[in-house]
């Protein structure tokens, strides 16, 4: 956070199934795995294209979250299915060591394309919907601290835990 690229509006991908796109996604997958993240946007590794990945298998860090399928989304779009919002803890690989509570829409529909250009469309809710919204924000230069309303919930993990605000292992949307 602070690097100007994170504030850029990412550009759509125009060519699918290219060596460049496959290489970008492989880099993103390596990065996400290395940091044990739930998701990653291309802009976080300095590439301002509208590409995101996410996925969570059963993970003790997210005890209440169902698994989120491993997903690649290029040029995604989304709509709100239920305008109820709920707040939960998020973190971000671009804002290391911190957490904050972020309101997100509970139920959404998203669509986008995989690396080959095949349509992916899903109605999702809860943590899955949260991860998508977090990653989508990155495509428009928005970081989760921008969306925090309960400002006292934004802080360093150790401080939030010491204050009893954050549990043993706070959930991280990315
Ligand atoms: Ni993030």
């Amino acid at each position: 956070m602070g690097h100007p690229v994170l504030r850029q509006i990412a550009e759509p991908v125009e060519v699918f199934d290219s060596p460049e796109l496959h290489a970008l996604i492989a880099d993103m997958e390596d990065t996400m795995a290395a940091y044990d993240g739930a998701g990653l946007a291309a802009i976080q590794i300095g590439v301002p294209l509208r590409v995101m990945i996410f996925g969570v298998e059963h993970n003790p860090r997210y005890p209440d979250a169902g698994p989120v399928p491993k997903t690649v989304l290029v040029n995604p779009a989304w709509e709100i299915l239920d305008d109820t919002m709920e707040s939960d803890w998020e973190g971000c690989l671009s804002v290391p060591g911190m957490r904050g509570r972020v309101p997100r829409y509970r139920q959404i529909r998203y669509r986008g394309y995989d690396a080959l250009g095949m349509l992916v469309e899903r109605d999702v809710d809860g943590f899955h919907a949260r991860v998508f919204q977090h990653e989508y924000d990155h495509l428009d230069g928005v970081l989760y601290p921008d969306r925090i309303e309960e400002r006292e919930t934004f802080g360093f993990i150790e401080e939030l835990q010491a204050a009893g605000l954050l549990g043993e292992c706070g959930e991280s949307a990315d």
Side-chain angles (χ1 to χ4, degrees):
M1 188 174 180
H3 194 299
V5 75
L6 288 169
R7 296 306 192 173
Q8 286 185 26
I9 308 292
E11 296 288 335
V13 169
E14 294 185 350
V15 181
F16 287 88
D17 199 19
S18 66
E20 294 79 7
L21 183 57
H22 289 295
L24 171 62
I25 290 166
D27 273 0
M28 290 170 66
E29 287 172 343
D30 289 348
T31 303
M32 193 176 97
Y35 291 94
D36 200 21
L40 191 78
I43 210 158
Q44 293 181 271
I45 58 168
V47 179
L49 290 172
R50 301 185 84 80
V51 179
M52 65 166 75
I53 62 171
F54 51 82
V56 182
E57 291 177 26
H58 176 69
N59 186 325
R61 284 170 66 197
Y62 320 116
D64 301 326
V68 177
K70 188 167 176 276
T71 302
V72 172
L73 287 178
V74 180
N75 299 348
W78 66 290
E79 62 194 272
I80 299 159
L81 295 181
D82 172 352
D83 61 11
T84 306
M85 299 187 87
E86 53 194 18
S87 286
D88 211 338
W89 293 100
E90 293 187 17
C92 180
L93 301 180
S94 299
V95 191
M98 303 190 82
R99 292 288 188 272
R101 286 180 71 82
V102 184
R104 300 285 186 188
Y105 291 102
R106 198 180 66 77
Q107 194 180 13
I108 65 167
R109 172 177 297 152
Y110 65 70
R111 63 180 69 81
Y113 301 90
D114 69 12
L116 301 176
M118 299 294 289
L119 182 68
V120 178
E121 183 172 50
R122 293 190 187 118
D123 292 359
V124 299
D125 58 16
F127 187 67
H128 190 159
R130 173 172 300 276
V131 171
F132 174 88
Q133 290 169 80
H134 178 114
E135 300 311 328
Y136 190 90
D137 269 351
H138 277 299
L139 308 186
D140 288 338
V142 176
L143 296 168
Y144 83 84
D146 305 340
R147 296 207 182 272
I148 290 173
E149 291 174 354
E150 309 154 85
R151 282 183 288 173
E152 69 281 6
T153 70
F154 182 47
F156 295 103
I157 292 168
E158 311 85 80
E159 296 293 347
L160 293 167
Q161 287 176 333
L165 292 169
L166 180 66
E168 183 71 19
C169 296
E171 289 178 12
S172 170
D174 121 0

